[in-house]
Amino acid sequence: MDATSTTNTAQNNSKNGADDNNLPPKRFIYCPADMANFQLSPARRDLLAFASAMGRSCIGSGALDTNNPLKNLTPAMASLYGSLKAMVDWIREMPPDRNAKARFGNPAFRKWHQRLMDRSSAIVSAIVDAHISATSMTVQEASEAGFMAAQNGVAKLHDHSALSEAERIKRDEIIVECTAYLQSSFGHPVRLDYGTGHESSFLIFIYALFKSACFYPNPQSLRAVAMSIFSQYLMVCRGLQNDYMLEPAGSHGVWGLDDYHCLPFYFGACQLMDNVEGFNPRSIHNNSTLEDYHEAYMYFGCIRYIKSLKKGAPFQETSPMLNDISMIESWSKVSSGLLRLYEGEVLGKLPVVQHFVFGKIFEANWSPSKAPPTAPKQNFINGPGGDECVAPWAIAPGSDASNNSQLPGPTRAPWAK
């Protein structure tokens, strides 16, 4: 039985009442009362502690070895690395619609996201099976298996006969829950946007894999995940943001840290602590440094990327917060400030965390205030069939659209009667 059919079987059993444990994660945050519960919950506390631990593991780690990205990754995480590489290829296979008229959000992203939905179960199955077979699989083999799971939508078959019934049930539960977190990590297919909430969903996904023992609770393993896995995740997200012009979700514009991300700045600042090259926060203003070290140091890569997008104006005007941060005297203070920023501006904001879903690994310890609403199937920009909505007064007389009786007439001002 392949990964997809295994997961579907588990979900069907849940629907039939045979096993409620395999129900996919669901929302628990709808209102300020739910938000208050989340702020006091072990889930939030543990997620923030996990992000902090990942950052601390990067202190003094030096430049990333770009020639050996699988170094210190477990087979499970090497499988994820391979899948993320395949996701970059998906973008090339599904180019943006050049005829789309919207300023933000190319509708071709929906095809990319649908592929994610279709293949995410196979991707997670490959990760979990790589963990189960860790003693008999090299990281290179695991990376290739992860790549093929994302490329073909079918995980490599593994012999699970040695697993007990309880272990097989646990495997299926992990796959169902982690699949939901992965599906929420790359933007919204209706709103055509991406923001720190999606980035946090990816952190939750990594956290769930960590709690499932897919990598070790030591600095060496945490550092490899923070540097290699998040670097590859950034490559996917930047491709989506550029090619499909995803709208920044909840961006503060020029007064924010970045339109899309927060965690890579924190991990990158930690990586630069105690660096042997003598780089300080002001080094971001040296373009030669950014060019030479953008692949080796995550923070420099983030700054270089922003500068490449926001050309034609001084950095202090396009990114005043990052410019102010560059005036701080040490990377230690930069990293601690960025972690507080993530805590307050991401985990502390209802519009961001209201879309989090919770399961048995990342668990909510309160009852939600209401039942989940029905999600919209389309937005006002792209109407039925993908056509842009047009104002009634902008329709040419005699056209098919002008004869559509369903179109409302223009609203008249009360004094124009």
Side-chain angles (χ1 to χ4, degrees), residues 48 51-52 55 196 199 256-258 261-273 281 298-299 302-303 321-322 324-326 328 330-347:
L48 182 62
S52 176
T196 50
E199 177 186 78
L257 179 71
D258 178 69
H261 295 285
C262 183
L263 287 172
F265 291 91
Y266 167 61
F267 296 153
C270 290
Q271 181 193 15
L272 280 161
M273 290 172 61
M298 185 176 287
Y299 195 92
C302 291
I303 298 296
M321 180 179 285
L322 287 168
D324 289 346
I325 289 173
S326 72
I328 298 176
S330 69
W331 289 113
S332 176
K333 289 187 176 181
V334 171
S335 64
S336 61
L338 288 171
L339 183 61
R340 289 196 302 271
L341 181 73
Y342 180 73
E343 179 181 10
E345 294 301 317
V346 179
L347 297 185

Side-chain angles (χ1 to χ4, degrees), residues 12-44:
N12 290 335
N13 287 341
S14 299
K15 293 176 182 177
N16 294 332
D19 184 4
D20 289 339
N21 290 330
N22 275 351
L23 288 173
K26 63 180 182 179
R27 283 181 60 188
F28 274 73
I29 304 175
Y30 296 95
C31 66
D34 294 333
M35 181 66 178
N37 285 322
F38 172 69
Q39 292 298 307
L40 299 174
S41 69
R44 177 195 174 278

Side-chain angles (χ1 to χ4, degrees), residues 382-393:
N382 297 99
D387 296 328
E388 229 180 353
C389 293
V390 181
W393 55 84

Side-chain angles (χ1 to χ4, degrees), residues 249-260:
S251 172
H252 294 289
V254 70
W255 298 112
L257 179 71
D258 178 69
D259 286 337
Y260 298 104

Side-chain angles (χ1 to χ4, degrees), residues 47-58 219 222-223 266-267 339:
L47 185 66
L48 182 62
F50 179 67
S52 176
M54 288 184 69
R56 293 196 309 272
S57 73
C58 300
L222 287 168
R223 182 188 311 128
Y266 167 61
F267 296 153
L339 183 61

